[in-house]
Amino acid sequence: AALGAALGVCASALEASLGPFEAVLRATVPDCRGAQAEERWLPAFFASMAWLAVCSLGVCLTADQLSIDFAIPAAVIGLTIAAAGTSFANLVSSLIEARRGKVGMAVANALGSNVQNVFIALGIPWAAYTLLSGGEPLLMSAAGVGDGVRVMLGSLAVFVVATASADFTVSRALAKGALVAYGGYLVYTCAPLMLA
C-alpha cells in the first residue's frame, strides 16, 4: 500500500511538472481529432518532427555532458541513457495501444519508429551535413556497426519466430526473456568500454 501511495505521489508530481510542456505542445501541434482531422495530419507530423528534433538535441547535449562529467565512454551513454530516452515515448505509446487491444498498432509503432530513426533521424542530418559541407562525405568510425546490425536482425528474427510459434502472442515469459537478453547485451557491449 505504501509503494502504491508513493507511486501515486510521483505520478502526480510528474503530471504537474509536465503541464507547461503539454501546454506548449497543444499550442504548436495541431490536434488531429474531430472534424476535418485529415487536413491537420501533415502539419501535425511536421510539428511533431520539429519537437522531436528539439528534444533529441536536448538528449544528445545532456548525454555528452554526462559522458564528460562522469568520464563514461560516449558509446556507453549512447547504448544506455540515450537509447532509453529516445525509446521511452515508443514504450509508453505501445503500452497504451496494447492495453486498448490494438496490438497491431503497438507493433507497428515499434517497427515504424525504428525505420524512422534510420531513414529520417540519421538520413536528414547526414544529408544536411553533406549539402552544407560542399559534398564532402561525413567521415565516422564504423566500429561496431556491423555487430549492432547483426544483433538487431538476430533479435528481430528471434522475436518473430517466438511470437509466430505462440500464434503471434507475447507471453510474460517472452517479455521477461527479452528484458534479460537486453540486459545481457548491455553488459556484453558496455563492460569492455567501461574497462578500457
Side-chain angles (χ1 to χ4, degrees), residues 117-131:
N117 286 343
V118 171
F119 292 112
I120 294 178
L122 292 177
I124 290 176
W126 288 351
Y129 174 87
T130 303
L131 290 172

Side-chain angles (χ1 to χ4, degrees), residues 130-160:
T130 303
L131 290 172
L132 295 173
S133 66
E136 288 293 317
L138 177 62
L139 301 176
M140 54 186 284
S141 170
V145 172
D147 289 341
V149 169
R150 283 188 285 280
V151 167
M152 283 185 358
L153 289 174
S155 62
L156 179 61
V158 167
F159 182 78
V160 168

Side-chain angles (χ1 to χ4, degrees), residues 92-118:
V92 171
S93 61
S94 291
L95 280 172
I96 290 169
E97 295 303 329
R99 287 185 179 211
R100 289 180 178 168
K102 298 179 180 178
V103 178
M105 178 79 82
V107 172
N109 176 43
L111 295 176
S113 66
N114 284 298
V115 169
Q116 181 178 351
N117 286 343
V118 171

